[in-house]
Amino acid sequence: MAGKVMHYFAGGNTAKGFYSLYDSNLVGLEKLFILKGGPGSGKSTIMKKIGQEWLDKDYDIEFLHCSSDNDSIDGVIIPALKIGLVDGTAPHVIEPKAPGAIEEYVNLGAAWNTQQLAAERTTIIRFTNARSKSFEKAYALFAEALKIHDEWEDIYKANIDFVKLNGLTNKLIEGFYRDIVLNKKADVRHRFLGAATPEGAVDYIPSITKGVQKRYFLKGRPGSGKSTMLKKIAKAAEKRGFDVEVYHCGFDPESLDMVIVREAGIAIFDSTSPHEYFPSREGDEIIDIYKTAIHSGTDEIYADQIKDVSSRYRAKMNEATACLVKAKEQHDALEAIYVKAMDFTAIDDIQKDIQEQITAWSKTVDSHTILH
């Protein structure tokens, strides 16, 4: 019997540039391997193999996916062992808290042929610069798309019945937590609900919400108050001592898309495009903010304006995604160069060494903290 695996994003290509929430998910780890190396040096493969090994040993695993290539991973965490591995190359800036004592750098560059790479120097620089420009252009286009999205939100913000919206929010908070106050400090983790990738918007909602007793699907429109509601629900949980998982919007990281409070058995999330889901499990419930708190007829009254702004928004998002596709093509070209120069036997030895260290570490952890 294998452990459970959860997939999520801790970094994203957003309207604010590359946005990292890695630090929030590395809090509390007592051992962290920071992998350094170029494209194609085996970082993702090492983390996948080690994650799978401990998954097969009945440990729960968290896979942190790469927003620039969601088939690749940027990190793996084994919560019960308080151990993690993470890609420490740009744009993932991991600030060590206690180098050597907690964080250990693993140099995969030791396994490449420097002479072979030196011969490709001009090509490597060209592709690296081109990739950087593609990302910069994508972020600029996402920022333009956000301004257009703000126009869309303004339509609905002007038509909210705040008394009804606040009433609904307070009713949900009372239903979720009642009068319960836990005698501990809340553990709050910040992640992304989904990410803008070369394949478009990608999310792992089924994986993230697996095992949560009750799921609430928020339906509404841009600017109808979903994020504000989620912020209040998260704050109320934290105030009462509940551990909270706060999932940010992969497009606008200052906005929230989901809150999970596992101790209360609830997950509540924005279930509109591009992460549109509908009830599929017993207990799933839809909460329609448009029906509850938006003035009747708003969609019809502003139909032409909404059609115009939504069309401009999607066009700009498609342009940005095309830039991410270009960046991935340039990254793949870089990977091909590095793969040819790698000694993967040496990489296997590095992986085995990490696995041996984790195994030794696991033996020092009290059995009651690691058994299910």
Side-chain angles (χ1 to χ4, degrees), residues 243-351:
D243 295 343
V244 191
E245 293 167 34
V246 179
Y247 291 85
H248 295 246
C249 171
F251 169 56
D252 176 7
E254 293 176 3
S255 180
L256 299 190
D257 275 346
M258 176 160 68
V259 171
I260 296 182
V261 186
R262 296 185 192 273
E263 291 164 321
I266 64 105
I268 180 166
F269 64 99
D270 180 341
S271 183
T272 56
S273 181
H275 31 79
E276 187 171 25
Y277 285 82
F278 293 93
S280 59
R281 295 184 346 205
E282 186 177 348
D284 285 351
E285 184 177 326
I286 287 176
I287 298 172
D288 194 328
I289 292 180
Y290 182 81
K291 284 184 179 178
T292 303
I294 302 296
H295 296 152
S296 179
T298 298
D299 280 349
E300 293 75 17
I301 294 168
Y302 296 92
D304 290 342
Q305 193 175 336
I306 292 167
K307 183 180 179 182
D308 169 65
V309 74
S310 64
S311 176
R312 287 188 287 120
Y313 168 72
R314 290 191 178 92
K316 198 62 69 175
M317 290 294 284
N318 288 339
E319 281 187 68
T321 300
C323 290
L324 293 182
V325 171
K326 196 72 179 171
K328 186 178 184 304
E329 289 171 355
Q330 290 147 351
H331 183 83
D332 290 347
L334 277 169
E335 276 197 347
I337 295 171
Y338 278 86
V339 165
K340 289 178 183 177
M342 294 300 297
D343 177 357
F344 284 101
T345 302
I347 293 295
D348 288 341
D349 289 340
I350 291 171
Q351 179 190 318

Side-chain angles (χ1 to χ4, degrees), residues 42-325:
K43 299 185 295 293
S44 178
T45 302
I46 285 175
M47 290 187 283
K48 282 181 178 178
K49 286 182 177 178
I50 289 175
Q52 188 60 51
E53 178 189 351
W54 290 91
L55 190 63
D56 292 341
K57 290 179 179 178
D58 199 23
Y59 285 76
D60 293 346
I61 298 295
E62 296 175 7
F63 279 129
L64 286 62
H65 285 256
C66 172
S67 56
S68 298
D69 177 6
N70 54 290
D71 289 331
S72 181
I73 64 166
D74 283 341
V76 60
I77 295 173
I78 311 170
L81 297 181
K82 296 185 178 179
I83 275 185
L85 293 88
V86 67
D87 182 345
T89 55
H92 324 99
V93 180
I94 309 298
E95 293 293 342
K97 305 294 186 294
I102 296 177
E103 296 88 3
E104 178 178 332
Y105 288 96
V106 180
N107 179 22
L108 303 184
W112 61 39
N113 184 323
T114 52
Q115 288 184 324
Q116 195 172 331
L117 291 174
E120 298 280 1
R121 179 177 179 275
T122 303
T123 306
I124 289 171
I125 291 172
R126 177 164 55 86
F127 279 126
T128 300
N129 290 340
R131 181 184 59 180
S132 294
K133 287 179 181 176
S134 293
F135 277 122
E136 286 171 12
K137 189 174 180 183
Y139 300 149
L141 288 164
F142 281 133
E144 290 179 36
L146 182 58
K147 289 179 181 177
I148 297 170
H149 197 269
D150 288 344
E151 294 179 41
W152 200 349
E153 288 192 350
D154 287 344
I155 296 169
Y156 292 98
K157 283 180 180 177
N159 287 279
I160 294 177
D161 184 327
F162 286 101
V163 173
K164 289 182 179 178
L165 182 62
N166 291 335
L168 174 59
T169 303
N170 292 334
K171 182 181 177 184
L172 288 170
I173 290 171
E174 288 168 13
F176 292 161
Y177 316 128
R178 300 182 295 282
D179 294 325
I180 300 171
V181 177
L182 303 182
N183 187 28
K184 66 179 179 66
K185 181 178 171 60
D187 182 352
V188 182
R189 302 288 168 139
H190 293 268
R191 298 164 179 164
F192 283 105
L193 177 70
T197 80
E199 296 178 18
V202 173
D203 68 71
Y204 293 103
I205 289 174
S207 169
I208 295 167
T209 62
K210 189 175 183 180
V212 179
Q213 184 180 354
K214 179 91 174 172
R215 301 190 302 177
Y216 295 86
F217 296 65
L218 287 179
K219 300 293 182 181
R221 308 289 189 272
S224 60
K226 299 186 297 293
S227 176
T228 301
M229 173 186 282
L230 291 171
K231 287 176 181 176
K232 289 180 179 179
I233 289 169
K235 201 68 184 172
E238 182 182 359
K239 188 177 179 182
R240 289 165 171 78
F242 287 97
D243 295 343
V244 191
E245 293 167 34
V246 179
Y247 291 85
H248 295 246
C249 171
F251 169 56
D252 176 7
E254 293 176 3
S255 180
L256 299 190
D257 275 346
M258 176 160 68
V259 171
I260 296 182
V261 186
R262 296 185 192 273
E263 291 164 321
I266 64 105
I268 180 166
F269 64 99
D270 180 341
S271 183
T272 56
S273 181
H275 31 79
E276 187 171 25
Y277 285 82
F278 293 93
S280 59
R281 295 184 346 205
E282 186 177 348
D284 285 351
E285 184 177 326
I286 287 176
I287 298 172
D288 194 328
I289 292 180
Y290 182 81
K291 284 184 179 178
T292 303
I294 302 296
H295 296 152
S296 179
T298 298
D299 280 349
E300 293 75 17
I301 294 168
Y302 296 92
D304 290 342
Q305 193 175 336
I306 292 167
K307 183 180 179 182
D308 169 65
V309 74
S310 64
S311 176
R312 287 188 287 120
Y313 168 72
R314 290 191 178 92
K316 198 62 69 175
M317 290 294 284
N318 288 339
E319 281 187 68
T321 300
C323 290
L324 293 182
V325 171

